[in-house]
Amino acid sequence: MSETMIRKNHMDVLWHEYTDKEGQNLPVVQASLTEKASIIGRAGIMLLSCGTGAWRVRSSMNTLAEVMGVTCTADIGLMSIEYTCFDGQDGFTQSLCLTNTGVNTSKLNRLEHFIQDFETEGKDMSGEQLHNLLDNIEEIHGLYSPIALGIALACGGFTFLLGGGPIEMFCAFVGAGLGNFLRCKLTKHHYTLFLGIVLSVSLACLSYAGLLKLGEIFLGLSVKHEAGYICAMLFIIPGFPFITSGIDLAKLDMRSGIERLGYALIIILVATMSAWIMALILHLQPVDFIKISLPLAGWIIFRFLASFCGVFGFSIMFNSPIPLAVAAASIGAIANTLRLELVDLVNAPPAAAAFIGALTAGILASLMKDRVGYPRISVTVPSIVIMVPGLYLYRGFYNLGIMSLATSATWFASALLIILALPLGLIFARILTDKTFRYCT
């Protein structure tokens, strides 16, 4: 029996057909408006595919347009761009759409360098040469295999920060690793978003519960360690679109901001519902973690180390090169430890502490940006993703599912305040350190 061929729902754009075959060696600044616009649009849609926000995409498209002597206006969403280029005589309008969205900070870094170097190097290249260069950038996929991503260092660090001990950390480490491995495999083969979320979260919870059951049988572990099963699914929390949605809304990019927020909420809804159903099947409950006794200095040191590992793990999941992941992890370790100690030592409200932590991360990233040599968003967003209250969101949904409405509302309200505080912290850090971000022009 022949294999059924699945037709693509989104047709490929044949970018090289936009180039002028008769004037292949002409610099792009002397090319036709259509050829110039193809470079601008392709760079924009590639940037969008990396997970960066509308403000950065539009700014990059404008940079290319100015060098090539055309004017560009763009309407940017989560998955699509509609843009128009005109040179005073002719106009060219195009609509571009992605097949899927994700985060790839390595590709984002290369595209940022392409934009920065365009005035000195790119403008003297032909349209064909530029499309070849963009072909090479587009071929960059993950820097790490699903196995490396499946290590799930992030969830191990996350577990300690939420109050878990070595047993919860190990089980979450394995569960998240297997779940993320499956998610990466499904994404690679282009399976739909919902299927990837449901299967990977279910596998993570099942793996955690299975390991804990084996520990109970052979090692006499307490059933109270079941609290950590939530941590095994936190790799799915969409921190990047959550944060960038707030930044886009702050710049009045309403379409992009609302679409990103909707995308993040869809992932959280499907993930928490999947985990809730698995909890009912496996008889798991989101009980409190067993208390860990440490001196103040011990808490600070271990929180710093756990935050570093957690942010480093998330950066690897975002396809960051090792130097970029280390830079983000260093900033995240400082900012997140500060946030947690503000809550513990001065009884600061969690939302206020989250704002201060995000503000600190944003300022540190601005100070390090030139030295690190990577786009600011590649450092700032991974450094505060670990502050996104995935535990609060899950407990809110769990209590909603069992009709404990008052408790559910409390968890959801706490999560909402923290989620609002995180992008606000980054936004104000950007306002303080980046004069181009302060104005609406």
Side-chain angles (χ1 to χ4, degrees):
M1 179 181 282
S2 62
E3 185 178 348
T4 303
M5 183 176 179
I6 301 175
R7 291 176 60 87
K8 291 184 178 180
N9 191 244
H10 297 270
M11 296 181 70
D12 294 328
V13 179
L14 305 177
W15 291 108
H16 290 269
E17 292 189 357
Y18 288 88
T19 59
D20 185 357
K21 303 306 179 185
E22 295 180 359
Q24 287 188 45
N25 297 321
L26 282 177
V28 71
V29 291
Q30 300 176 28
S32 66
L33 178 62
T34 299
E35 191 167 338
K36 293 176 180 178
S38 71
I39 301 294
I40 296 169
R42 187 178 185 187
I45 200 69
M46 286 175 66
L47 281 163
L48 193 65
S49 72
C50 296
T52 192
W55 186 82
R56 174 56 61 194
V57 174
R58 184 180 293 104
S59 175
S60 299
M61 293 174 72
N62 289 344
T63 299
L64 297 178
E66 289 172 1
V67 174
M68 288 188 277
V70 300
T71 301
C72 178
T73 61
D75 183 24
I76 303 167
L78 170 69
M79 300 281 289
S80 61
I81 297 176
E82 289 79 41
Y83 73 104
T84 299
C85 292
F86 45 95
D87 58 5
Q89 295 179 340
D90 300 310
F92 178 89
T93 299
Q94 192 169 35
S95 177
L96 301 172
C97 187
L98 297 171
T99 59
N100 202 350
T101 185
V103 180
N104 190 326
T105 52
S106 176
K107 185 183 291 186
L108 175 60
N109 177 49
R110 291 173 185 253
L111 285 167
E112 288 278 352
H113 285 292
F114 172 82
I115 303 297
Q116 292 169 9
D117 298 338
F118 190 79
E119 186 169 8
T120 57
E121 299 175 12
K123 69 178 183 180
D124 297 321
M125 299 171 69
S126 68
E128 184 70 19
Q129 289 173 322
L130 289 169
H131 276 301
N132 286 332
L133 183 57
L134 291 173
D135 284 342
N136 294 333
I137 296 175
E138 199 160 30
E139 288 171 1
I140 300 169
H141 298 293
L143 294 175
Y144 313 98
S145 68
I147 294 176
L149 285 174
I151 293 174
L153 199 59
C155 288
F158 222 141
T159 305
F160 177 81
L161 295 171
L162 292 173
I167 295 172
E168 291 89 350
M169 291 173 67
F170 176 76
C171 293
F173 181 90
V174 175
L178 293 172
N180 200 38
F181 174 84
L182 177 61
R183 183 181 67 148
C184 291
K185 282 292 186 184
L186 293 173
T187 300
K188 182 179 179 181
H189 293 285
H190 307 291
Y191 283 96
T192 187
L193 175 69
F194 281 32
L195 180 64
I197 295 172
V198 171
L199 292 181
S200 60
V201 169
S202 299
L203 178 60
C205 293
L206 183 62
S207 301
Y208 187 99
L211 278 175
L212 186 60
K213 192 65 178 177
L214 291 174
E216 288 179 46
I217 295 172
F218 296 106
L219 302 176
L221 298 180
S222 170
V223 72
K224 292 183 180 180
H225 292 294
E226 68 180 338
Y229 82 93
I230 304 170
C231 305
M233 56 158 281
L234 292 181
F235 65 88
I236 208 74
I237 296 299
F240 219 96
F242 249 142
I243 304 303
T244 52
S245 71
I247 296 173
D248 279 346
L249 291 172
K251 296 298 291 184
L252 299 184
D253 277 308
M254 304 302 291
R255 176 189 167 195
S256 178
I258 292 172
E259 288 181 11
R260 287 173 185 278
L261 181 60
Y263 171 73
L265 292 175
I266 286 171
I267 293 176
I268 288 174
L269 177 63
V270 176
T272 51
M273 180 172 288
S274 303
W276 174 59
I277 292 173
M278 290 300 296
L280 295 180
I281 295 172
L282 300 171
H283 303 291
L284 298 172
Q285 294 182 347
V287 295
D288 292 333
F289 288 96
I290 298 173
K291 294 290 185 182
I292 300 175
S293 180
L294 285 173
L296 176 60
W299 276 116
I300 294 174
I301 292 171
F302 281 110
R303 280 174 171 171
F304 184 91
L305 294 174
S307 298
F308 183 93
C309 292
V311 175
F312 183 86
F314 275 116
S315 295
I316 294 298
M317 289 167 66
F318 295 151
N319 202 40
S320 299
I322 297 297
L324 175 55
V326 170
S330 301
I331 292 172
I334 295 169
N336 194 50
T337 303
L338 173 63
R339 175 183 72 94
L340 294 172
E341 295 308 318
L342 284 173
V343 174
D344 283 357
L345 298 181
V346 300
N347 294 319
F355 175 84
I356 294 171
L359 180 69
T360 302
I363 292 173
L364 289 175
S366 297
L367 296 175
M368 290 179 61
K369 177 174 68 74
D370 294 332
R371 295 183 182 179
V372 175
Y374 292 104
R376 189 195 319 249
I377 194 171
S378 301
V379 180
T380 53
V381 176
S383 69
I384 69 167
V385 163
I386 200 167
M387 303 181 193
V388 174
L391 174 65
Y392 289 21
L393 291 168
Y394 173 72
R395 286 189 168 179
F397 190 89
Y398 180 91
N399 284 284
L400 181 65
I402 61 174
M403 290 293 111
S404 182
L405 301 183
T407 305
S408 173
T410 300
W411 284 111
F412 275 132
S414 299
L416 179 62
L417 289 173
I418 294 173
I419 288 170
L420 291 173
L422 291 175
L424 280 176
L426 283 189
I427 289 163
F428 277 94
R430 192 72 179 268
I431 290 171
L432 292 173
T433 59
D434 184 359
K435 63 181 180 181
T436 62
F437 196 83
R438 293 174 202 160
Y439 302 100
C440 184
T441 57

